[in-house]
Amino acid sequence: MEAESSRNPCPATDFNALPENCIANMLSLASAPDTCRLSSLASTFRSAAESDTVWERFLPSDYQDIIARASDSSPPVFTSKKDLYLSLSDHPLTVDGGTKSFSLDKWSGKKCFMLAARSLTIVYGDTPMYWRWISLPESRFAEVAELVDVCWLEIRGRISTRMISPDTNYAAYLVFKWTKRVYGFQSQPVEGWVGLRGSEEELRSFYLDPNGGQGRRTHILPRRRGRMGIFNRTLAKMQRPQVAMPSESSDQCPKERGDGWLEMELGDYLYKSGEDGELEICLQEVKGGNWKSGLILQGIEIRPKNSK
C-alpha cells in the first residue's frame, strides 16, 4: 500500500464532490467551446456548464444594449444565456435599423459586426447609371449594391471603436458576389486599408478577381453615352500608365464563405483598450481608369482575425 501511495501522491479528484458554484467559476475562466467539452467529464460539470452564471461571463458586457437595438419590432427572447450565446454565434442579429448586423465569434466571444452596403460611403452610389440597389433573399440586409459600371471605385465604412472588443486584432472583409456580367477586375489590382480615422494609411494591394489577376490584362471600355462618358474615357486613357501591380508577397484572393458569399480581407488593426475613435475601412481602385462591372456588395464585416 505504501508503494502504491508513493506512486500516486495526488489521488484522482472527484469532481462530483466539488460544489457546483466552484465548478461554475472554473468553467467561466475557460472558453465557451472548452466549457462544452468539459461538461462531459462529470454530471456536476454538465449542470454547471448550463448555468447562466457561466455563460453570462462569455457574453460582452453591453450585449443587452445591443440586443435592444435589434431591427425587429420585438427583440428575440432566449431561454438561457447559453442559447443566447450560441444563437448570436450562428445567426447574426440585424441592428440599428438594418444598417448593421451583430454576432459573436464562437471561439472567443468577441464582438463581430457587418456594415450594410447602405451604411457605407460609395462614390457614385446614388447614381443609377453607375450603381443600383437591389434585394437578394440570401442577404441579411434589405438591400445590396450592384455595380453597373464605374472607372472610379471607392468604398468606405466606419465604426466606433467603442462598439468592438478591446485588445483584439480585428480584420475587415469585403463581402460580395459576382454577377454573370463581370469585367474589369482581372486587369487591375485594388487597394484596401484599415485603421483609425485620421491615421496614416498603409494600403495593401490585391486582386478581387479569383484568378489573382492572372487573366487577360486588357482594359474593357464599353461605349458610354453623353459628355460624362467622353470625360471618363479620356480620364481612363490618362490614368492607364499609373497602374500599380501588387507586390510578389500579395497572394490574397477571395474566399468562399459558409453563407455562399465571397470575402476578401482588406486589412487588419489591433484595437487597444481605451483607444477611442473611429475605425475606418477603405476599398479603392482609382489609378487604372478601366471600367468595372458585375460586383454585388452586401457589406463590410469586422471580426477578430484568424477566428475559426
Side-chain angles (χ1 to χ4, degrees):
M1 293 293 292
E2 292 181 0
E4 183 178 351
S5 177
S6 63
R7 288 195 300 270
N8 298 282
C10 297
T13 301
D14 182 3
F15 290 113
N16 288 318
L18 294 174
E20 184 174 318
N21 63 341
C22 177
I23 294 176
N25 286 330
M26 292 169 55
L27 293 177
S28 65
L29 298 176
S31 66
D34 287 339
T35 296
C36 293
R37 286 191 287 266
L38 289 170
S39 65
S40 63
L41 290 179
S43 59
T44 309
F45 270 70
R46 285 193 295 273
S47 177
E50 298 292 325
S51 73
D52 283 350
T53 302
V54 171
W55 289 91
E56 178 84 22
R57 298 190 185 183
F58 296 146
L59 293 165
S61 59
D62 59 347
Y63 76 92
Q64 292 179 328
D65 294 334
I66 297 175
I67 292 175
R69 288 154 43 195
S71 300
D72 295 335
S73 56
S74 58
V77 177
F78 300 93
T79 57
S80 69
K81 294 298 194 303
K82 179 182 179 181
D83 289 341
L84 171 59
Y85 183 98
L86 296 179
S87 178
L88 291 175
S89 299
D90 296 328
H91 306 289
L93 182 68
T94 54
V95 297
D96 297 344
T99 60
K100 302 181 188 70
S101 71
F102 165 69
S103 61
L104 294 177
D105 178 63
K106 182 178 292 185
W107 301 92
S108 65
K110 302 286 187 178
K111 292 186 283 186
C112 310
F113 286 93
M114 185 187 291
L115 308 179
R118 268 298 186 189
S119 70
L120 304 175
T121 300
I122 304 175
V123 174
Y124 301 125
D126 292 327
T127 307
M129 68 178 295
Y130 298 125
W131 289 87
R132 71 187 187 109
W133 294 90
I134 61 174
S135 298
L136 291 179
E138 61 268 31
S139 171
R140 67 183 64 173
F141 303 111
E143 289 183 302
V144 296
E146 180 181 348
L147 173 57
V148 178
D149 237 354
V150 294
C151 66
W152 185 287
L153 177 66
E154 185 175 349
I155 302 168
R156 291 180 181 268
R158 295 172 185 167
I159 186 170
S160 171
T161 55
R162 296 181 180 181
M163 295 180 62
I164 58 180
S165 300
D167 302 317
T168 302
N169 189 25
Y170 274 93
Y173 301 84
L174 186 78
V175 182
F176 66 100
K177 280 187 174 184
W178 297 118
T179 69
K180 294 181 179 179
R181 185 179 177 272
V182 56
Y183 57 78
F185 290 95
Q186 78 281 4
S187 59
Q188 181 68 33
V190 297
E191 295 175 324
W193 176 76
V194 179
L196 284 182
R197 184 183 179 190
S199 62
E200 184 177 354
E201 294 186 358
E202 294 182 5
L203 296 173
R204 63 170 63 183
S205 185
F206 48 82
Y207 285 95
L208 284 180
D209 178 71
N211 295 321
Q214 298 305 310
R216 295 183 298 109
R217 298 188 180 279
T218 58
H219 296 269
I220 303 175
L221 296 175
R223 180 177 296 178
R224 296 286 178 270
R225 296 188 300 271
R227 299 181 61 184
M228 177 60 75
I230 296 174
F231 170 78
N232 285 333
R233 284 201 304 274
T234 304
L235 176 64
K237 292 179 181 179
M238 294 172 59
Q239 291 186 329
R240 199 172 295 174
Q242 302 175 20
V243 173
M245 305 305 294
S247 64
E248 294 181 0
S249 62
S250 178
D251 57 353
Q252 293 185 350
C253 61
K255 297 178 175 59
E256 187 171 358
R257 296 158 52 97
D259 57 9
W261 291 78
L262 297 172
E263 69 177 23
M264 168 62 80
E265 182 181 331
L266 303 178
D268 60 87
Y269 184 79
L270 176 59
Y271 167 55
K272 299 178 182 178
S273 181
E275 195 174 36
D276 290 338
E278 283 187 311
L279 194 65
E280 186 172 39
I281 306 101
C282 176
L283 168 77
Q284 64 183 27
E285 197 292 283
V286 298
K287 297 178 180 178
N290 57 304
W291 289 89
K292 294 163 283 290
S293 179
L295 181 143
I296 297 178
L297 173 64
Q298 181 176 194
I300 294 177
E301 186 172 56
I302 302 102
R303 67 174 189 259
K305 189 168 184 178
N306 301 323
S307 61
K308 299 182 181 180

